[in-house]
Amino acid sequence: MDLLANLALGFGVAVTPINLLYAFIGVLVGTLIGVLPGIGPVATIAMLLPTTYALPPVTALIMLAGIYYGASYGGSTTAILVNLPGEMSSVVTVLDGHQMALQGRAGAALCVAALGSLFAGCVSTFVIAAFAPPLAEMALSFDAAEYFSLMVLGLVSAIALAHGSVLKAVLMTMLGLLLGTVGTDINTSVARFSFDVPELLDGIGFVAMTMGLFAFAEIAVNLEKTEVHNLCASRIDGLWIKWAEFKQAFPAILRGTAIGSALGIIPGGGATLAAFAAYTLEKRVAKDPSRFGKGAIEGVAGPESANNAGAQTSFIPMLTLGIPSNAVMALMVGALIIHDIQPGPDVMKNNPEMFWGLVASMWIGNLMLVVLNLPLVGIWVKLLRVPYRLLFPMILFCCAIGAYSTSNNIFDVWVAVVFGLLGYVFVKLGCEPAPLLLGYILGPMMEENLRRALVLSRGDFSVFVTRPMSLTMLILAGALLALVVAPSIRKKREVVFQDEG
Amino acid sequence: MRRINNPKDFWAGLFFMSFGLAAFLLSRAYAMGDATRMGPGYFPRALGVLLLVFGAVLSVRAVRSAKEPFAAWRLRPLLIVLLSLGIFCVALKWLGLVVSGIALIFIASMASTEFRWKAALVSGAVQSVFAVGLFVYGLKIPLSVWPAFMAGGR
């Protein structure tokens, strides 16, 4: 069995003391930021990325991945106990989880969230192990034209699944692609949009950019609101779950895991989308949907399993195709490039120990998370007492040093400041920053593949539609776009009609 | 201005268009090439045009779309946060990590409505010392710790 041999290789890598240590640091930090509202995994990973430069790539990736899936565990804790989702992916957990806590069933809610996540984590580890190799195999036959179309598909699905206006997401993606062209053109060595600034010849530092867009802008927006006081955590009377409750929750865990694994794989998906979809599904299949919102255990079990499954399987397109499906994966691509590993189908062939080590570490990390979150839940709740007025300067300070350390140059901190201002404007104009980051990461690869495809076809644009794989992906992208645009046109029309009527 | 139903989208459209226009104009300096042999100007200029077109669509649609007024902007926190970071950038080289770190944290803390200067000062000092230990001695990031004019600085 190839699968088992590969997993054995992976566990061999993952259980070395240094990798265990960094997996632990990753899930610990992930839980921490998951509990704390006001800082998300994207900003944290950007902040800690520079500290991983000296590590071997697999160790760095293990830690960064731990932050991502760890955050969804921590986020559910606060969602259940204090009615406050620590992360976007736990927003739906609040609905039934906090109701359960109010009814004195906090222990059961926490238990089912953790066990559901653990189960989902185990299953999705196998999903990655089973699906990634054939996908990478297929991608090896891709030519420049297929890659270009694949990136179009990736960007379109990210746009389609973004919150809010589709048109704004399209524009943000384009702006990201444009920002990606800053720096020296690899084909002609012409410096583009560098304004004679030597630091810009290598392009805009993406760590600094991410910090500005995600950390600084969010802090500025948060500070506009007045601080929430007296977060009152519900009491936890023992961490147990009744057998009857577990029997009720188990099918929801299964469904959540399935839907989460599926939604994680598609570009644009990930933890948040998976959680929302799972909640909708649970409500749909329930015999009595009116129980939802009043403490239905399925409403915790489904989304919590789904967000963990989705977080993990979203590594599949990143590791096998080199296409990041969300902002966190875009950062992972950046991290790999910093370590001189070009993400794509070759990763599995050339760095099998890295690929399988990461997969195995997720399984270990999930075990650690259950221990961290169930017995130690009280400590995390106490952390919520740290007021934001002390927390946000700390984030700023860490980001500033982190940005500086990417190239030991103060210029990167200035870049972060500029993008902080831009990010604030984006928030105020209702534009999601995630598509911009995806565009920025994919921009150079997209331009390169576009050029290569057209050189091979002697300038004939039809190459993208005459090659079957490329055509399929473009049709998929078109269909997806049509699907999301259509209802919004209808809605707009209704509004116009209402205005006139 | 009263006629624009969704000023948010309207200004967002103009914002994107300004980037598109800048990209279009600036990329005229780079060779365009043709589809077979794309020059460095081809991709950016295409993006510039796309940003102009789609930005215009967004703005034009905003005039007649559903009414959605602007939320109030409170610029004070943003400006203080950016100012504190800017001061950190300028100060780091001359004053070292400890002083500029305390300055960053102290000034940034003023952005909160519940600023307490003693707590901000203490937290700044504690974090700066911690940062020196972690980043300078632990991760060996080349940063000066003390002001340049003080002897014995690292």
Side-chain angles (χ1 to χ4, degrees):
Chain A
M1 276 292 280
D2 251 10
L3 184 72
L4 292 182
N6 285 331
L7 282 177
L9 169 72
F11 276 101
V13 175
V15 296
T16 55
I18 177 162
N19 288 341
L20 279 179
L21 174 70
Y22 277 94
F24 181 73
I25 295 176
V27 294
L28 188 72
V29 172
T31 310
L32 177 72
I33 57 133
V35 170
L36 296 171
I39 177 158
V42 182
T44 313
I45 291 173
M47 201 158 82
L48 293 180
L49 195 60
T51 65
T52 67
Y53 288 174
L55 301 172
V58 59
T59 311
L61 225 58
I62 283 174
M63 180 179 104
L64 298 176
I67 296 175
Y68 181 42
Y69 58 78
S72 73
Y73 273 78
S76 62
T77 306
T78 48
I80 291 166
L81 292 178
V82 285
N83 200 18
L84 191 85
E87 298 304 329
M88 272 301 287
S89 57
S90 306
V91 169
V92 284
T93 309
V94 168
L95 301 173
D96 281 289
H98 190 60
Q99 285 302 317
M100 284 182 74
L102 290 180
Q103 295 161 9
R105 290 154 70 206
L110 287 169
C111 254
V112 82
L115 295 177
S117 296
L118 176 67
F119 178 80
C122 297
V123 172
S124 56
T125 303
F126 276 99
V127 172
I128 298 177
F131 276 82
L135 211 58
E137 193 85 357
M138 190 179 80
L140 280 174
S141 68
F142 283 6
D143 217 339
E146 279 83 18
Y147 263 113
F148 180 79
S149 303
L150 179 66
M151 289 175 195
V152 172
L153 175 61
L155 287 177
V156 165
S157 23
I159 288 165
L161 300 170
H163 309 270
S165 156
V166 174
L167 186 55
K168 282 188 200 167
V170 170
L171 280 157
M172 286 297 271
T173 310
M174 286 173 181
L175 189 56
L177 290 171
L178 184 65
L179 290 171
T181 65
V182 173
T184 310
D185 174 37
I186 38 171
N187 288 12
T188 57
S189 305
V190 173
R192 292 189 290 191
F193 307 117
S194 67
F195 307 104
D196 292 326
V197 179
E199 282 91 347
L200 281 179
L201 289 178
D202 292 331
I204 301 170
F206 90 102
V207 171
M209 187 173 122
T210 315
M211 283 175 185
L213 285 176
F214 287 85
F216 295 174
E218 194 172 318
I219 285 173
V221 173
N222 281 341
L223 285 172
E224 285 183 49
K225 306 165 203 150
T226 31
E227 212 170 320
V228 190
H229 287 284
N230 305 325
L231 291 168
C232 203
S234 311
R235 272 175 50 83
I236 313 161
D237 311 313
L239 289 161
W240 38 244
I241 178 163
K242 286 193 202 106
W243 176 244
E245 280 183 316
F246 185 74
K247 264 203 321 214
Q248 203 179 355
F250 192 68
I253 292 177
L254 287 180
R255 285 189 292 265
T257 304
I259 198 168
S261 302
L263 287 178
I265 296 174
I266 60 164
T272 309
L273 180 73
F276 278 91
Y279 192 76
T280 317
L281 179 75
E282 285 313 313
K283 240 175 139 171
R284 203 66 48 90
V285 299
K287 283 200 191 81
D288 177 16
S290 67
R291 286 191 305 117
F292 282 82
K294 293 172 193 153
I297 197 163
E298 300 99 308
V300 178
E304 279 305 314
S305 312
N307 69 21
N308 206 34
Q312 290 195 20
T313 53
S314 61
F315 279 85
I316 293 179
M318 192 276 284
L319 285 170
T320 57
L321 308 172
I323 307 287
S325 56
N326 55 40
V328 174
M329 291 305 132
L331 278 171
M332 297 281 175
V333 169
L336 284 173
I337 292 173
I338 285 169
H339 284 286
D340 266 338
I341 295 173
Q342 184 62 45
D346 293 327
V347 168
M348 212 179 299
K349 206 173 59 188
N350 300 342
N351 309 73
E353 73 297 334
M354 192 197 81
F355 181 86
W356 295 105
L358 175 64
V359 172
S361 85
M362 290 184 188
W363 192 82
I364 296 172
N366 273 290
L367 272 184
M368 292 178 177
L369 277 166
V370 171
V371 177
L372 271 179
N373 277 273
L374 286 183
L376 301 180
V377 68
I379 297 173
W380 300 115
V381 174
K382 282 210 187 73
L383 262 177
L384 278 174
R385 302 226 178 98
V386 178
Y388 195 61
R389 72 184 152 82
L390 289 180
L391 194 63
F392 82 86
M394 200 189 298
I395 300 170
L396 287 178
F397 187 42
C398 288
C399 280
I401 298 177
Y404 174 87
S405 66
T406 54
S407 55
N408 295 325
N409 190 333
I410 203 72
F411 181 79
D412 278 293
V413 190
W414 284 115
V415 170
V417 171
V418 170
F419 275 94
L421 179 64
L422 260 181
Y424 180 83
V425 174
F426 286 141
V427 172
K428 288 292 167 182
L429 294 177
C431 302
E432 281 273 315
L436 184 139
L437 193 62
L438 289 185
Y440 174 79
I441 291 282
L442 284 179
M445 296 187 232
M446 234 176 142
E447 183 181 10
E448 177 62 19
N449 282 299
L450 177 68
R451 279 182 175 182
R452 278 228 307 269
L454 287 174
V455 166
L456 293 174
S457 74
R458 292 169 212 284
D460 185 2
F461 277 94
S462 70
V463 64
F464 297 109
V465 291
T466 48
R467 296 178 65 104
M469 273 308 283
S470 166
L471 179 66
T472 315
M473 285 185 274
L474 286 180
I475 289 176
L476 273 174
L480 200 58
L481 204 57
L483 211 68
V484 284
V485 170
S488 83
I489 289 177
R490 235 179 294 141
K491 242 181 272 164
K492 286 266 148 54
R493 283 173 63 118
E494 276 164 28
V495 172
V496 171
F497 285 145
Q498 270 174 0
D499 276 359
E500 285 168 359
Chain B
M1 280 300 293
R2 292 254 19 111
R3 294 185 172 275
I4 294 165
N5 281 346
N6 189 340
K8 220 176 183 176
D9 281 13
F10 180 76
W11 290 108
L14 287 189
F15 189 64
F16 287 117
M17 282 168 77
S18 64
F19 275 100
L21 188 67
F24 183 78
L25 294 178
L26 286 170
S27 61
R28 287 198 306 184
Y30 317 128
M32 183 73 175
D34 55 25
T36 320
R37 291 220 143 270
M38 258 183 219
Y42 198 100
F43 197 65
R45 206 183 306 180
L47 285 170
V49 172
L50 285 172
L51 276 168
L52 274 170
V53 172
F54 283 94
V57 173
L58 184 63
S59 290
V60 169
R61 265 194 359 187
V63 177
R64 300 276 342 231
S65 68
K67 283 203 172 69
E68 196 185 327
F70 253 131
W73 291 37
R74 276 184 55 216
L75 285 176
R76 188 173 174 272
L78 173 78
L79 293 178
I80 293 176
V81 163
L82 295 183
L83 179 77
S84 69
L85 288 163
I87 286 175
F88 177 80
C89 290
V90 177
L92 185 64
K93 200 174 169 195
W94 311 108
L95 298 177
L97 184 58
V98 172
V99 177
S100 35
I102 294 174
L104 165 67
I105 290 165
F106 188 79
I107 298 168
S109 301
M110 290 188 218
S112 168
T113 45
E114 354 190 287
F115 171 65
R116 286 169 209 174
W117 69 269
K118 266 186 204 153
L121 213 55
V122 170
S123 123
V126 170
Q127 285 177 50
S128 290
V129 170
F130 186 72
V132 168
L134 178 65
F135 293 104
V136 180
Y137 293 102
L139 294 166
K140 305 253 183 311
I141 294 167
L143 277 165
S144 49
V145 177
W146 299 108
F149 53 80
M150 278 168 65
R154 196 181 139 99

